[in-house]
C-alpha cells in the first residue's frame, strides 16, 4: 500500500499540482486536467534537469542524495504554489459533470471503447510481458546504482567499478529521475522501470495525441468532430500495435523500451513539440502574446529534451528551426524564427556544457 501511495503521489499528484502553475497562464478552454498533467510533467522534468546536472558535474560523492533532497523540496514547493495559484486566480473549473454532460453518438461510444481496449491491451502486455534488451544493463543499472549507492554516473554499470564521468550520458538524467521515483515509492528501480513507467508514459503519449486531434479536428472544419477524434485515436493505437517492423521504430521503443530516455524523446518530446506549436500558432495573432504559459512550456520542453537524451537537443533544435522557417513563410512574420530561437537558449547552454566536457 505504501508503494502504491508513493507512486500515485509522485507520478500523478505532484505533476498535476505543478502543472497548475503554467496552466493558469494559458487559455481557459485548454485548461483541462489532461493538459495540466502534461504541463506538470514538462515543468517537473525541466526542474529536475536543472537540479541534477550541476550535481552530476560538480559533486563527486553522494550527488544523488543531493538531488534527492533538493528536488523533493523544489517539487513540493512548486506543487503547493500551483494549488495556491489555482485558488488565488479562481475556483477550479474541473468538474466531473462537465465530462458526463457531453453527449456522444452510439458510433462514437463504440469507437472510444475500441480505443480504450487497444490501450488496455498495450498496458497489460507492457507490464506482464515486459521485454529486456542490452540497454537494460546500462540505463536500468544506472538507476539502480543511484538508488543503492547514492552516486550518479560515477560507476561503470557493467562492472560496478568506479570510473570517470560518463560524458555521453551525464547530462541526460532520465534514469536518475527513475531512481528518484524508486526511492520515493520504496520500490526497486527495475520494477519502476519495467512495471511503473509504462503505466505512466503510455497514457501520457496518448493524451498528447488526443490534444493534437482536438486541435486538428476543429468544429469549423469538421462538423462531426466528436466522431473524428476517436477514429484518429484508434488509428494511432493501431500504429503503435503493429509498428514493430524493426527494432529501431518509434513504436518499438514505445512498447518495449518505454522506460528509456530515447523512447521519451520519440513518444513525448517530439509529439509535444507539434502540439505546442499548434496551440501557439492556431491562435489569432493578438492572442498569442497572452499565451505566456505556452511559451514557458516550450522552454521547458527544450530542457526536457536534454533531460531525456543528449541527441534530442540537436534534433529538437533542428525541428524547431524547420518549423520556424515554414511558419515565417505562412504567417509572413520574420519575428517567428527569433521567438522560437529564444526558446532554444537552454539547448545552446546544453551544447556548450557538453562540448566543454569533451575538452
Amino acid at each position: 500500500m505504501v508503494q502504491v501511495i508513493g507512486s500515485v503521489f509522485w507520478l500523478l499528484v505532484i505533476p498535476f499540482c505543478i502543472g497548475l502553475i503554467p496552466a493558469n497562464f494559458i487559455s481557459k478552454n485548454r485548461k483541462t486536467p489532461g493538459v495540466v498533467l502534461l504541463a506538470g510533467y514538462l515543468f517537473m522534468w525541466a526542474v529536475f534537469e536543472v537540479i541534477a546536472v550541476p550535481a552530476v558535474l560538480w559533486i563527486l560523492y553522494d550527488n544523488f542524495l543531493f538531488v534527492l533532497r533538493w528536488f523533493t523540496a523544489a517539487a513540493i514547493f512548486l506543487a503547493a504554489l500551483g494549488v495556491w495559484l489555482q485558488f488565488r486566480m479562481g475556483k477550479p473549473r474541473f468538474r466531473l459533470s462537465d465530462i458526463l454532460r457531453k453527449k456522444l453518438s452510439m458510433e462514437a461510444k463504440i469507437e472510444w471503447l475500441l480505443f480504450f481496449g487497444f490501450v488496455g491491451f498495450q498496458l497489460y502486455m507492457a507490464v506482464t510481458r515486459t521485454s529486456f534488451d542490452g540497454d537494460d544493463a546500462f540505463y536500468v543499472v544506472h538507476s539502480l546504482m543511484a538508488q543503492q549507492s547514492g552516486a550518479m554516473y560515477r560507476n561503470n554499470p557493467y562492472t560496478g567499478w568506479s570510473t570517470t564521468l560518463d560524458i555521453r550520458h551525464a547530462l541526460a538524467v532520465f534514469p536518475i529521475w527513475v531512481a528518484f521515483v524508486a526511492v520515493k515509492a520504496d520500490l526497486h528501480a527495475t520494477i519502476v522501470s519495467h512495471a511503473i513507467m509504462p503505466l505512466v508514459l503510455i497514457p501520457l503519449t496518448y493524451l498528447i495525441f488526443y490534444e493534437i486531434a482536438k486541435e486538428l479536428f476543429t468544429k469549423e472544419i469538421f462538423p462531426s468532430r466528436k466522431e473524428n477524434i476517436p477514429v484518429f485515436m484508434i488509428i494511432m493505437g493501431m500504429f503503435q500495435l503493429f509498428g514493430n517492423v524493426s527494432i529501431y521504430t518509434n513504436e518499438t521503443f514505445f512498447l518495449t523500451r518505454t522506460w528509456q530516455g530515447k523512447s521519451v524523446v520519440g513518444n513525448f518530446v517530439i509529439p509535444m513539440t507539434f502540439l505546442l506549436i499548434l496551440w501557439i500558432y492556431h491562435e489569432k495573432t493578438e492572442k498569442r502574446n497572452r499565451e505566456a504559459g505556452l511559451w514557458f512550456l516550450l522552454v521547458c520542453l527544450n530542457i526536457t529534451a536534454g533531460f531525456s537524451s543528449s541527441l534530442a537537443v540537436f534534433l529538437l533544435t533542428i525541428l524547431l528551426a524547420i518549423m520556424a522557417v515554414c511558419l515565417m513563410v505562412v504567417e509572413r512574420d520574420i519575428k517567428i524564427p527569433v521567438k522560437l530561437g529564444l526558446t532554444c537558449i537552454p539547448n545552446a547552454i546544453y551544447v556548450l556544457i557538453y562540448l566543454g566536457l569533451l575538452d
Side-chain angles (χ1 to χ4, degrees):
M1 181 58 69
V2 175
Q3 290 85 350
V4 173
I5 295 174
S7 299
V8 172
F9 182 76
W10 285 101
L11 294 173
L12 184 61
V13 177
I14 288 294
F16 184 86
C17 293
I18 292 176
L20 291 172
I21 299 176
N24 276 289
F25 298 95
I26 64 176
S27 300
K28 290 185 178 180
N29 62 325
R30 289 203 180 96
K31 192 179 174 183
T32 62
V35 170
V36 172
L37 187 61
L38 290 173
Y41 265 94
L42 278 179
F43 196 3
M44 179 181 68
W45 283 342
V47 172
F48 191 90
E49 173 81 353
V50 170
I51 293 175
V53 167
V56 170
L57 299 180
W58 298 323
I59 300 178
L60 185 59
Y61 302 106
D62 296 331
N63 47 15
F64 176 67
L65 299 180
F66 173 88
V67 173
L68 198 63
R69 289 192 294 267
W70 282 98
F71 181 71
T72 300
I76 292 176
F77 171 77
L78 290 173
L81 179 62
V83 173
W84 176 83
L85 192 63
Q86 174 64 29
F87 283 92
R88 175 79 174 179
M89 299 186 70
K91 294 182 178 180
R93 62 184 297 272
F94 312 128
R95 296 190 299 269
L96 183 61
S97 58
D98 293 339
I99 300 175
L100 299 177
R101 195 181 298 127
K102 295 180 180 179
K103 295 182 179 180
L104 297 174
S105 64
M106 182 58 66
E107 292 82 0
K109 291 179 181 179
I110 295 174
E111 289 163 357
W112 277 118
L113 286 175
L114 182 60
F115 165 71
F116 285 118
F118 283 159
V119 176
F121 176 73
Q122 291 173 20
L123 292 174
Y124 171 78
M125 295 298 290
V127 174
T128 63
R129 303 293 188 272
T130 184
S131 63
F132 297 88
D133 56 60
D135 282 346
D136 280 7
F138 186 87
Y139 295 108
V140 177
V141 174
H142 265 306
S143 300
L144 183 59
M145 287 192 301
Q147 181 185 18
Q148 294 184 345
S149 68
M152 303 182 295
Y153 298 118
R154 295 290 179 176
N155 300 92
N156 188 320
Y158 302 120
T159 64
W161 296 345
S162 297
T163 185
T164 56
L165 183 65
D166 182 6
I167 298 174
R168 178 185 172 190
H169 301 92
L171 304 184
V173 293
F174 183 81
I176 309 304
W177 178 74
V178 173
F180 173 86
V181 174
V183 171
K184 291 301 180 181
D186 194 24
L187 289 168
H188 197 281
T190 307
I191 296 175
V192 173
S193 297
H194 286 270
I196 305 298
M197 285 298 108
L199 296 177
V200 175
L201 298 177
I202 290 176
L204 281 179
T205 298
Y206 281 117
L207 189 56
I208 296 174
F209 289 148
Y210 173 69
E211 293 297 331
I212 290 175
K214 283 169 48 179
E215 201 67 24
L216 293 177
F217 298 110
T218 59
K219 294 180 181 179
E220 294 78 11
I221 302 177
F222 296 92
S224 57
R225 178 182 181 223
K226 293 181 179 179
E227 284 72 25
N228 288 323
I229 292 179
V231 172
F232 175 85
M233 298 302 293
I234 290 173
I235 293 174
M236 297 309 300
M238 294 287 286
F239 278 142
Q240 302 294 1
L241 275 175
F242 299 101
N244 184 28
V245 296
S246 164
I247 62 172
Y248 302 109
T249 63
N250 187 63
E251 294 81 6
T252 299
F253 276 81
F254 179 67
L255 293 178
T256 65
R257 301 187 183 187
T258 317
W259 50 89
Q260 295 178 13
K262 292 175 286 188
S263 176
V264 174
V265 173
N267 296 293
F268 186 93
V269 173
I270 292 178
M272 195 69 196
T273 305
F274 284 94
L275 177 59
L276 285 175
I277 295 299
L278 282 172
W279 275 345
I280 294 173
Y281 287 101
H282 263 197
E283 295 290 350
K284 295 181 179 179
T285 305
E286 63 272 11
K287 192 176 180 181
R288 289 173 191 162
N289 296 327
R290 302 177 189 174
E291 296 282 8
L294 297 181
W295 288 101
F296 174 76
L297 290 178
L298 194 54
V299 174
C300 290
L301 182 66
N302 281 282
I303 301 175
T304 300
F307 163 86
S308 307
S309 172
S310 297
L311 182 60
V313 173
F314 301 93
L315 293 177
L316 187 58
T317 303
I318 294 172
L319 177 60
L320 286 174
I322 295 172
M323 288 180 170
V325 173
C326 294
L327 287 169
M328 179 184 65
V329 174
V330 172
E331 299 283 341
R332 298 179 181 178
D333 186 357
I334 199 172
K335 293 183 294 184
I336 290 178
V338 177
K339 292 179 180 178
L340 292 181
L342 290 175
T343 66
C344 294
I345 290 177
N347 296 353
I349 297 173
Y350 191 101
V351 171
L352 290 176
I353 295 174
Y354 189 88
L355 294 177
L357 292 175
L358 290 178
D359 293 338

